[in-house]
PDB file of all heavy atoms in Angstrom:
ATOM      1  N   GLY A 588      -0.522 -26.450 -54.497  1.00 98.00           N
ATOM      2  CA  GLY A 588       0.570 -25.624 -54.019  1.00 98.00           C
ATOM      3  C   GLY A 588       1.290 -26.221 -52.826  1.00 98.00           C
ATOM      4  O   GLY A 588       2.521 -26.179 -52.716  1.00 98.00           O
ATOM      5  N   THR A 589       0.433 -26.783 -51.956  1.00 98.00           N
ATOM      6  CA  THR A 589       0.991 -27.409 -50.708  1.00 98.00           C
ATOM      7  C   THR A 589       1.826 -28.649 -51.100  1.00 98.00           C
ATOM      8  O   THR A 589       2.920 -28.840 -50.486  1.00 98.00           O
ATOM      9  CB  THR A 589      -0.199 -27.790 -49.810  1.00 98.00           C
ATOM     10  OG1 THR A 589      -0.908 -26.594 -49.458  1.00 98.00           O
ATOM     11  CG2 THR A 589       0.378 -28.461 -48.593  1.00 98.00           C
ATOM     12  N   LEU A 590       1.310 -29.446 -51.985  1.00 98.00           N
ATOM     13  CA  LEU A 590       2.119 -30.603 -52.410  1.00 98.00           C
ATOM     14  C   LEU A 590       3.464 -30.254 -53.027  1.00 98.00           C
ATOM     15  O   LEU A 590       4.461 -30.878 -52.739  1.00 98.00           O
ATOM     16  CB  LEU A 590       1.250 -31.461 -53.388  1.00 98.00           C
ATOM     17  CG  LEU A 590      -0.022 -32.116 -52.854  1.00 98.00           C
ATOM     18  CD1 LEU A 590      -0.781 -32.822 -53.952  1.00 98.00           C
ATOM     19  CD2 LEU A 590       0.368 -33.140 -51.771  1.00 98.00           C
ATOM     20  N   ARG A 591       3.417 -29.206 -53.842  1.00 98.00           N
ATOM     21  CA  ARG A 591       4.711 -28.793 -54.435  1.00 98.00           C
ATOM     22  C   ARG A 591       5.609 -28.290 -53.388  1.00 98.00           C
ATOM     23  O   ARG A 591       6.861 -28.641 -53.401  1.00 98.00           O
ATOM     24  CB  ARG A 591       4.436 -27.672 -55.459  1.00 98.00           C
ATOM     25  CG  ARG A 591       5.695 -27.104 -56.050  1.00 98.00           C
ATOM     26  CD  ARG A 591       5.484 -26.006 -57.051  1.00 98.00           C
ATOM     27  NE  ARG A 591       4.937 -26.582 -58.295  1.00 98.00           N
ATOM     28  CZ  ARG A 591       4.566 -25.839 -59.392  1.00 98.00           C
ATOM     29  NH1 ARG A 591       4.558 -24.500 -59.306  1.00 98.00           N
ATOM     30  NH2 ARG A 591       4.151 -26.423 -60.454  1.00 98.00           N
ATOM     31  N   SER A 592       5.091 -27.557 -52.396  1.00 97.00           N
ATOM     32  CA  SER A 592       5.999 -27.003 -51.322  1.00 97.00           C
ATOM     33  C   SER A 592       6.603 -28.204 -50.477  1.00 97.00           C
ATOM     34  O   SER A 592       7.567 -27.938 -49.822  1.00 97.00           O
ATOM     35  CB  SER A 592       5.194 -26.053 -50.466  1.00 97.00           C
ATOM     36  OG  SER A 592       4.334 -26.710 -49.630  1.00 97.00           O
ATOM     37  N   ARG A 593       5.876 -29.315 -50.498  1.00 97.00           N
ATOM     38  CA  ARG A 593       6.387 -30.431 -49.706  1.00 97.00           C
ATOM     39  C   ARG A 593       7.235 -31.394 -50.524  1.00 97.00           C
ATOM     40  O   ARG A 593       7.489 -32.565 -50.173  1.00 97.00           O
ATOM     41  CB  ARG A 593       5.210 -31.166 -49.077  1.00 97.00           C
ATOM     42  CG  ARG A 593       4.477 -30.346 -48.003  1.00 97.00           C
ATOM     43  CD  ARG A 593       3.333 -31.102 -47.309  1.00 97.00           C
ATOM     44  NE  ARG A 593       2.722 -30.280 -46.294  1.00 97.00           N
ATOM     45  CZ  ARG A 593       1.721 -30.648 -45.563  1.00 97.00           C
ATOM     46  NH1 ARG A 593       1.144 -31.893 -45.764  1.00 97.00           N
ATOM     47  NH2 ARG A 593       1.145 -29.871 -44.704  1.00 97.00           N
ATOM     48  N   GLY A 594       7.539 -30.955 -51.737  1.00 97.00           N
ATOM     49  CA  GLY A 594       8.453 -31.744 -52.561  1.00 97.00           C
ATOM     50  C   GLY A 594       7.834 -32.786 -53.476  1.00 97.00           C
ATOM     51  O   GLY A 594       8.569 -33.604 -54.025  1.00 97.00           O
ATOM     52  N   ILE A 595       6.510 -32.803 -53.609  1.00 98.00           N
ATOM     53  CA  ILE A 595       5.863 -33.667 -54.535  1.00 98.00           C
ATOM     54  C   ILE A 595       6.040 -33.234 -55.975  1.00 98.00           C
ATOM     55  O   ILE A 595       5.669 -32.107 -56.325  1.00 98.00           O
ATOM     56  CB  ILE A 595       4.356 -33.821 -54.212  1.00 98.00           C
ATOM     57  CG1 ILE A 595       4.120 -34.224 -52.745  1.00 98.00           C
ATOM     58  CG2 ILE A 595       3.666 -34.768 -55.209  1.00 98.00           C
ATOM     59  CD1 ILE A 595       4.645 -35.560 -52.423  1.00 98.00           C
ATOM     60  N   ALA A 596       6.726 -34.033 -56.702  1.00 98.00           N
ATOM     61  CA  ALA A 596       7.059 -33.719 -58.141  1.00 98.00           C
ATOM     62  C   ALA A 596       6.063 -34.423 -59.036  1.00 98.00           C
ATOM     63  O   ALA A 596       5.415 -35.377 -58.688  1.00 98.00           O
ATOM     64  CB  ALA A 596       8.477 -34.136 -58.386  1.00 98.00           C
ATOM     65  N   PRO A 597       5.970 -33.941 -60.312  1.00 98.00           N
ATOM     66  CA  PRO A 597       5.118 -34.625 -61.338  1.00 98.00           C
ATOM     67  C   PRO A 597       5.453 -36.084 -61.423  1.00 98.00           C
ATOM     68  O   PRO A 597       6.665 -36.418 -61.524  1.00 98.00           O
ATOM     69  CB  PRO A 597       5.406 -33.844 -62.600  1.00 98.00           C
ATOM     70  CG  PRO A 597       5.762 -32.438 -62.103  1.00 98.00           C
ATOM     71  CD  PRO A 597       6.570 -32.744 -60.849  1.00 98.00           C
ATOM     72  N   GLY A 598       4.468 -36.919 -61.397  1.00 98.00           N
ATOM     73  CA  GLY A 598       4.651 -38.410 -61.482  1.00 98.00           C
ATOM     74  C   GLY A 598       4.759 -39.042 -60.120  1.00 98.00           C
ATOM     75  O   GLY A 598       4.609 -40.292 -60.067  1.00 98.00           O
ATOM     76  N   ASP A 599       4.933 -38.265 -59.028  1.00 98.00           N
ATOM     77  CA  ASP A 599       4.975 -38.892 -57.711  1.00 98.00           C
ATOM     78  C   ASP A 599       3.613 -39.427 -57.387  1.00 98.00           C
ATOM     79  O   ASP A 599       2.573 -38.841 -57.853  1.00 98.00           O
ATOM     80  CB  ASP A 599       5.411 -37.890 -56.647  1.00 98.00           C
ATOM     81  CG  ASP A 599       6.925 -37.616 -56.663  1.00 98.00           C
ATOM     82  OD1 ASP A 599       7.626 -38.324 -57.399  1.00 98.00           O
ATOM     83  OD2 ASP A 599       7.302 -36.721 -55.946  1.00 98.00           O
ATOM     84  N   ARG A 600       3.493 -40.447 -56.556  1.00 98.00           N
ATOM     85  CA  ARG A 600       2.182 -41.017 -56.124  1.00 98.00           C
ATOM     86  C   ARG A 600       1.709 -40.427 -54.855  1.00 98.00           C
ATOM     87  O   ARG A 600       2.467 -40.346 -53.879  1.00 98.00           O
ATOM     88  CB  ARG A 600       2.309 -42.504 -56.102  1.00 98.00           C
ATOM     89  CG  ARG A 600       2.160 -43.259 -57.343  1.00 98.00           C
ATOM     90  CD  ARG A 600       3.338 -43.185 -58.208  1.00 98.00           C
ATOM     91  NE  ARG A 600       4.517 -43.752 -57.612  1.00 98.00           N
ATOM     92  CZ  ARG A 600       5.765 -43.422 -57.876  1.00 98.00           C
ATOM     93  NH1 ARG A 600       6.026 -42.464 -58.817  1.00 98.00           N
ATOM     94  NH2 ARG A 600       6.789 -44.011 -57.265  1.00 98.00           N
ATOM     95  N   VAL A 601       0.437 -40.022 -54.839  1.00 98.00           N
ATOM     96  CA  VAL A 601      -0.249 -39.518 -53.659  1.00 98.00           C
ATOM     97  C   VAL A 601      -1.451 -40.323 -53.413  1.00 98.00           C
ATOM     98  O   VAL A 601      -2.275 -40.524 -54.264  1.00 98.00           O
ATOM     99  CB  VAL A 601      -0.675 -37.978 -53.892  1.00 98.00           C
ATOM    100  CG1 VAL A 601      -1.464 -37.508 -52.714  1.00 98.00           C
ATOM    101  CG2 VAL A 601       0.602 -37.150 -54.074  1.00 98.00           C
ATOM    102  N   GLY A 602      -1.562 -40.809 -52.174  1.00 98.00           N
ATOM    103  CA  GLY A 602      -2.685 -41.663 -51.784  1.00 98.00           C
ATOM    104  C   GLY A 602      -3.857 -40.985 -51.141  1.00 98.00           C
ATOM    105  O   GLY A 602      -3.695 -39.944 -50.498  1.00 98.00           O
ATOM    106  N   LEU A 603      -5.050 -41.463 -51.411  1.00 98.00           N
ATOM    107  CA  LEU A 603      -6.260 -40.967 -50.772  1.00 98.00           C
ATOM    108  C   LEU A 603      -7.005 -42.100 -50.165  1.00 98.00           C
ATOM    109  O   LEU A 603      -7.305 -43.094 -50.832  1.00 98.00           O
ATOM    110  CB  LEU A 603      -7.224 -40.344 -51.822  1.00 98.00           C
ATOM    111  CG  LEU A 603      -6.690 -39.182 -52.673  1.00 98.00           C
ATOM    112  CD1 LEU A 603      -7.796 -38.666 -53.553  1.00 98.00           C
ATOM    113  CD2 LEU A 603      -6.091 -38.073 -51.847  1.00 98.00           C
ATOM    114  N   VAL A 604      -7.250 -42.062 -48.880  1.00 98.00           N
ATOM    115  CA  VAL A 604      -7.999 -43.040 -48.115  1.00 98.00           C
ATOM    116  C   VAL A 604      -9.225 -42.353 -47.483  1.00 98.00           C
ATOM    117  O   VAL A 604      -9.225 -42.033 -46.295  1.00 98.00           O
ATOM    118  CB  VAL A 604      -7.126 -43.722 -47.020  1.00 98.00           C
ATOM    119  CG1 VAL A 604      -7.880 -45.027 -46.499  1.00 98.00           C
ATOM    120  CG2 VAL A 604      -5.815 -44.198 -47.615  1.00 98.00           C
ATOM    121  N   LEU A 605     -10.207 -42.058 -48.323  1.00 98.00           N
ATOM    122  CA  LEU A 605     -11.346 -41.269 -47.937  1.00 98.00           C
ATOM    123  C   LEU A 605     -12.631 -41.841 -48.483  1.00 98.00           C
ATOM    124  O   LEU A 605     -12.666 -42.402 -49.526  1.00 98.00           O
ATOM    125  CB  LEU A 605     -11.251 -39.839 -48.398  1.00 98.00           C
ATOM    126  CG  LEU A 605     -10.055 -38.984 -47.851  1.00 98.00           C
ATOM    127  CD1 LEU A 605      -9.024 -38.915 -48.952  1.00 98.00           C
ATOM    128  CD2 LEU A 605     -10.530 -37.649 -47.472  1.00 98.00           C
ATOM    129  N   PRO A 606     -13.717 -41.638 -47.734  1.00 97.00           N
ATOM    130  CA  PRO A 606     -15.095 -41.942 -48.287  1.00 97.00           C
ATOM    131  C   PRO A 606     -15.598 -40.838 -49.211  1.00 97.00           C
ATOM    132  O   PRO A 606     -14.807 -39.939 -49.526  1.00 97.00           O
ATOM    133  CB  PRO A 606     -15.959 -42.097 -47.040  1.00 97.00           C
ATOM    134  CG  PRO A 606     -15.316 -41.097 -46.079  1.00 97.00           C
ATOM    135  CD  PRO A 606     -13.827 -41.110 -46.379  1.00 97.00           C
ATOM    136  N   ASN A 607     -16.861 -40.878 -49.541  1.00 97.00           N
ATOM    137  CA  ASN A 607     -17.436 -39.847 -50.340  1.00 97.00           C
ATOM    138  C   ASN A 607     -17.701 -38.576 -49.586  1.00 97.00           C
ATOM    139  O   ASN A 607     -18.819 -38.340 -49.172  1.00 97.00           O
ATOM    140  CB  ASN A 607     -18.666 -40.374 -51.071  1.00 97.00           C
ATOM    141  CG  ASN A 607     -18.441 -41.409 -52.189  1.00 97.00           C
ATOM    142  OD1 ASN A 607     -17.295 -41.835 -52.237  1.00 97.00           O
ATOM    143  ND2 ASN A 607     -19.375 -41.612 -53.008  1.00 97.00           N
ATOM    144  N   VAL A 608     -16.727 -37.789 -49.413  1.00 98.00           N
ATOM    145  CA  VAL A 608     -16.864 -36.466 -48.742  1.00 98.00           C
ATOM    146  C   VAL A 608     -16.175 -35.433 -49.543  1.00 98.00           C
ATOM    147  O   VAL A 608     -15.345 -35.713 -50.439  1.00 98.00           O
ATOM    148  CB  VAL A 608     -16.232 -36.495 -47.298  1.00 98.00           C
ATOM    149  CG1 VAL A 608     -17.014 -37.476 -46.354  1.00 98.00           C
ATOM    150  CG2 VAL A 608     -14.737 -36.986 -47.360  1.00 98.00           C
ATOM    151  N   PRO A 609     -16.477 -34.083 -49.360  1.00 98.00           N
ATOM    152  CA  PRO A 609     -15.886 -33.088 -50.242  1.00 98.00           C
ATOM    153  C   PRO A 609     -14.357 -33.073 -50.241  1.00 98.00           C
ATOM    154  O   PRO A 609     -13.764 -32.660 -51.267  1.00 98.00           O
ATOM    155  CB  PRO A 609     -16.406 -31.812 -49.584  1.00 98.00           C
ATOM    156  CG  PRO A 609     -17.730 -32.211 -49.025  1.00 98.00           C
ATOM    157  CD  PRO A 609     -17.493 -33.594 -48.454  1.00 98.00           C
ATOM    158  N   ALA A 610     -13.694 -33.564 -49.205  1.00 98.00           N
ATOM    159  CA  ALA A 610     -12.222 -33.643 -49.206  1.00 98.00           C
ATOM    160  C   ALA A 610     -11.719 -34.492 -50.362  1.00 98.00           C
ATOM    161  O   ALA A 610     -10.612 -34.203 -50.893  1.00 98.00           O
ATOM    162  CB  ALA A 610     -11.722 -34.177 -47.857  1.00 98.00           C
ATOM    163  N   PHE A 611     -12.433 -35.520 -50.768  1.00 98.00           N
ATOM    164  CA  PHE A 611     -12.018 -36.367 -51.814  1.00 98.00           C
ATOM    165  C   PHE A 611     -11.765 -35.617 -53.123  1.00 98.00           C
ATOM    166  O   PHE A 611     -10.652 -35.601 -53.680  1.00 98.00           O
ATOM    167  CB  PHE A 611     -12.922 -37.566 -52.033  1.00 98.00           C
ATOM    168  CG  PHE A 611     -12.318 -38.600 -52.989  1.00 98.00           C
ATOM    169  CD1 PHE A 611     -11.872 -39.868 -52.449  1.00 98.00           C
ATOM    170  CD2 PHE A 611     -12.223 -38.395 -54.328  1.00 98.00           C
ATOM    171  CE1 PHE A 611     -11.267 -40.794 -53.239  1.00 98.00           C
ATOM    172  CE2 PHE A 611     -11.716 -39.380 -55.185  1.00 98.00           C
ATOM    173  CZ  PHE A 611     -11.203 -40.570 -54.684  1.00 98.00           C
ATOM    174  N   PRO A 612     -12.822 -34.965 -53.693  1.00 98.00           N
ATOM    175  CA  PRO A 612     -12.542 -34.265 -54.987  1.00 98.00           C
ATOM    176  C   PRO A 612     -11.564 -33.091 -54.836  1.00 98.00           C
ATOM    177  O   PRO A 612     -10.743 -32.822 -55.765  1.00 98.00           O
ATOM    178  CB  PRO A 612     -13.935 -33.741 -55.409  1.00 98.00           C
ATOM    179  CG  PRO A 612     -14.810 -33.836 -54.163  1.00 98.00           C
ATOM    180  CD  PRO A 612     -14.230 -34.954 -53.363  1.00 98.00           C
ATOM    181  N   ILE A 613     -11.478 -32.452 -53.658  1.00 98.00           N
ATOM    182  CA  ILE A 613     -10.479 -31.419 -53.439  1.00 98.00           C
ATOM    183  C   ILE A 613      -9.101 -32.000 -53.523  1.00 98.00           C
ATOM    184  O   ILE A 613      -8.260 -31.415 -54.269  1.00 98.00           O
ATOM    185  CB  ILE A 613     -10.734 -30.722 -52.090  1.00 98.00           C
ATOM    186  CG1 ILE A 613     -12.027 -29.952 -52.084  1.00 98.00           C
ATOM    187  CG2 ILE A 613      -9.563 -29.881 -51.719  1.00 98.00           C
ATOM    188  CD1 ILE A 613     -12.448 -29.441 -50.718  1.00 98.00           C
ATOM    189  N   LEU A 614      -8.816 -33.095 -52.824  1.00 98.00           N
ATOM    190  CA  LEU A 614      -7.488 -33.629 -52.858  1.00 98.00           C
ATOM    191  C   LEU A 614      -7.173 -34.344 -54.188  1.00 98.00           C
ATOM    192  O   LEU A 614      -6.026 -34.255 -54.658  1.00 98.00           O
ATOM    193  CB  LEU A 614      -7.358 -34.641 -51.702  1.00 98.00           C
ATOM    194  CG  LEU A 614      -7.515 -34.039 -50.269  1.00 98.00           C
ATOM    195  CD1 LEU A 614      -7.618 -35.189 -49.244  1.00 98.00           C
ATOM    196  CD2 LEU A 614      -6.366 -33.142 -49.952  1.00 98.00           C
ATOM    197  N   PHE A 615      -8.189 -35.019 -54.771  1.00 99.00           N
ATOM    198  CA  PHE A 615      -7.937 -35.690 -56.048  1.00 99.00           C
ATOM    199  C   PHE A 615      -7.541 -34.688 -57.133  1.00 99.00           C
ATOM    200  O   PHE A 615      -6.456 -34.861 -57.760  1.00 99.00           O
ATOM    201  CB  PHE A 615      -9.293 -36.352 -56.477  1.00 99.00           C
ATOM    202  CG  PHE A 615      -9.217 -37.051 -57.791  1.00 99.00           C
ATOM    203  CD1 PHE A 615      -8.553 -38.265 -57.927  1.00 99.00           C
ATOM    204  CD2 PHE A 615      -9.722 -36.489 -58.951  1.00 99.00           C
ATOM    205  CE1 PHE A 615      -8.515 -38.938 -59.141  1.00 99.00           C
ATOM    206  CE2 PHE A 615      -9.718 -37.150 -60.179  1.00 99.00           C
ATOM    207  CZ  PHE A 615      -9.053 -38.371 -60.253  1.00 99.00           C
ATOM    208  N   TYR A 616      -8.302 -33.601 -57.301  1.00 98.00           N
ATOM    209  CA  TYR A 616      -7.933 -32.683 -58.315  1.00 98.00           C
ATOM    210  C   TYR A 616      -6.722 -31.801 -57.947  1.00 98.00           C
ATOM    211  O   TYR A 616      -5.944 -31.359 -58.798  1.00 98.00           O
ATOM    212  CB  TYR A 616      -9.126 -31.799 -58.699  1.00 98.00           C
ATOM    213  CG  TYR A 616     -10.050 -32.462 -59.665  1.00 98.00           C
ATOM    214  CD1 TYR A 616     -11.230 -33.044 -59.270  1.00 98.00           C
ATOM    215  CD2 TYR A 616      -9.715 -32.568 -60.999  1.00 98.00           C
ATOM    216  CE1 TYR A 616     -12.064 -33.773 -60.162  1.00 98.00           C
ATOM    217  CE2 TYR A 616     -10.526 -33.194 -61.908  1.00 98.00           C
ATOM    218  CZ  TYR A 616     -11.657 -33.847 -61.466  1.00 98.00           C
ATOM    219  OH  TYR A 616     -12.500 -34.485 -62.371  1.00 98.00           O
ATOM    220  N   GLY A 617      -6.508 -31.672 -56.601  1.00 98.00           N
ATOM    221  CA  GLY A 617      -5.330 -30.956 -56.156  1.00 98.00           C
ATOM    222  C   GLY A 617      -4.067 -31.694 -56.573  1.00 98.00           C
ATOM    223  O   GLY A 617      -3.063 -31.159 -57.065  1.00 98.00           O
ATOM    224  N   ALA A 618      -4.046 -33.000 -56.355  1.00 98.00           N
ATOM    225  CA  ALA A 618      -2.902 -33.811 -56.709  1.00 98.00           C
ATOM    226  C   ALA A 618      -2.694 -33.837 -58.243  1.00 98.00           C
ATOM    227  O   ALA A 618      -1.570 -33.757 -58.727  1.00 98.00           O
ATOM    228  CB  ALA A 618      -3.101 -35.291 -56.172  1.00 98.00           C
ATOM    229  N   LEU A 619      -3.784 -33.912 -59.000  1.00 98.00           N
ATOM    230  CA  LEU A 619      -3.648 -33.844 -60.426  1.00 98.00           C
ATOM    231  C   LEU A 619      -3.079 -32.531 -60.917  1.00 98.00           C
ATOM    232  O   LEU A 619      -2.227 -32.446 -61.823  1.00 98.00           O
ATOM    233  CB  LEU A 619      -5.029 -34.168 -61.138  1.00 98.00           C
ATOM    234  CG  LEU A 619      -5.558 -35.502 -60.963  1.00 98.00           C
ATOM    235  CD1 LEU A 619      -6.969 -35.632 -61.641  1.00 98.00           C
ATOM    236  CD2 LEU A 619      -4.670 -36.596 -61.579  1.00 98.00           C
TER     237      LEU A 619
END
């Protein structure tokens, strides 16, 4: 929901620069 509110549209690229921490799966599946 946050990504949509910031103008991220389907197909836009979102980057993750994280190690193996809970934020990774949260952000990964959030972007998907």
Side-chain angles (χ1 to χ4, degrees):
T589 301
L590 292 175
R591 176 179 286 176
S592 73
R593 293 182 179 179
I595 303 299
D599 285 352
R600 275 73 63 204
V601 172
L603 303 184
V604 190
L605 298 102
N607 287 14
V608 292
F611 189 106
I613 291 171
L614 296 170
F615 178 78
Y616 278 102
L619 292 177

